[in-house]
Amino acid sequence: PEGTPLRLGDVVRTQLSTAGAGSLRVTSTTPLVVSWRTYDARAAVAAWPPLLPALSREGARTRGAFEALPSRPGRGGIRSAVSIVDASGKGSRVTLTLTAGSRTLDRTTRRLRPFGCLNTDIPAAPGDLVRVEFSASEPVLALATVTENGSGAVSLVPAG
């Protein structure tokens, strides 16, 4: 009913019948507030990050970059990940290029299903910073997260 909060637990498992990562599209004919959070079982200390804002289709684009994502292994380190979600509903061909300085670490192209999701962990690199560029055949939503290994604290990084 209108005005009633709805809480879905472990959406990837219960709604998508899978494990790992996934995307969820939420639509409404009335104004709607959506927030989400994720639990990271890999963190040394189990912690829930704060509620995070939903991504809006108006922020979708066909290219962009994350300038300097850190990745340092170990309990006192940090790790980064990039998620790309098809926002077109048609599916998209997405290319990710990861570089450290002038060195290309990885370049991959994947086909996303309509509203499908691509998740990539950022590898450790000399100098600790990795640039991630993306291009897509259809508009996508892009989000990077930086997680402190010890505490599980998460920060969001917008694509530039």
Side-chain angles (χ1 to χ4, degrees):
E2 188 173 327
T4 304
L6 173 64
R7 181 184 178 277
L8 299 173
D10 198 349
V11 172
V12 173
R13 184 178 56 78
T14 62
Q15 305 298 311
L16 304 177
S17 300
T18 188
S23 61
L24 180 68
R25 180 177 180 222
V26 178
T27 61
S28 176
T29 57
T30 61
L32 181 69
V33 175
V34 177
S35 60
W36 62 278
R37 61 180 166 187
T38 182
Y39 175 76
D40 189 343
R42 295 180 298 178
V45 176
W48 289 92
L51 291 176
L52 304 170
L55 299 175
S56 170
R57 188 182 286 187
E58 286 75 36
R61 54 176 73 180
T62 57
R63 54 188 340 97
F66 298 96
E67 292 300 326
L69 296 177
S71 190
R72 291 189 306 275
R75 183 169 171 78
I78 45 183
R79 64 186 182 280
S80 297
V82 170
S83 296
I84 308 285
V85 178
D86 172 64
S88 70
K90 301 180 209 172
S92 184
R93 182 177 169 90
V94 177
T95 298
L96 290 177
T97 304
L98 284 64
T99 57
S102 61
R103 194 172 116 227
T104 299
L105 302 174
D106 188 30
R107 181 179 173 90
T108 184
T109 300
R110 295 258 315 266
R111 177 84 179 143
L112 297 182
R113 293 180 180 167
F115 304 110
C117 183
L118 165 65
N119 296 294
T120 300
D121 290 327
I122 304 304
D128 293 330
L129 298 178
V130 175
R131 175 181 165 83
V132 179
E133 295 179 39
F134 65 90
S135 61
S137 60
E138 297 291 335
V140 296
L141 295 168
L143 173 71
T145 56
V146 178
T147 307
E148 294 178 12
N149 291 342
S151 69
V154 177
S155 298
L156 298 180
V157 179

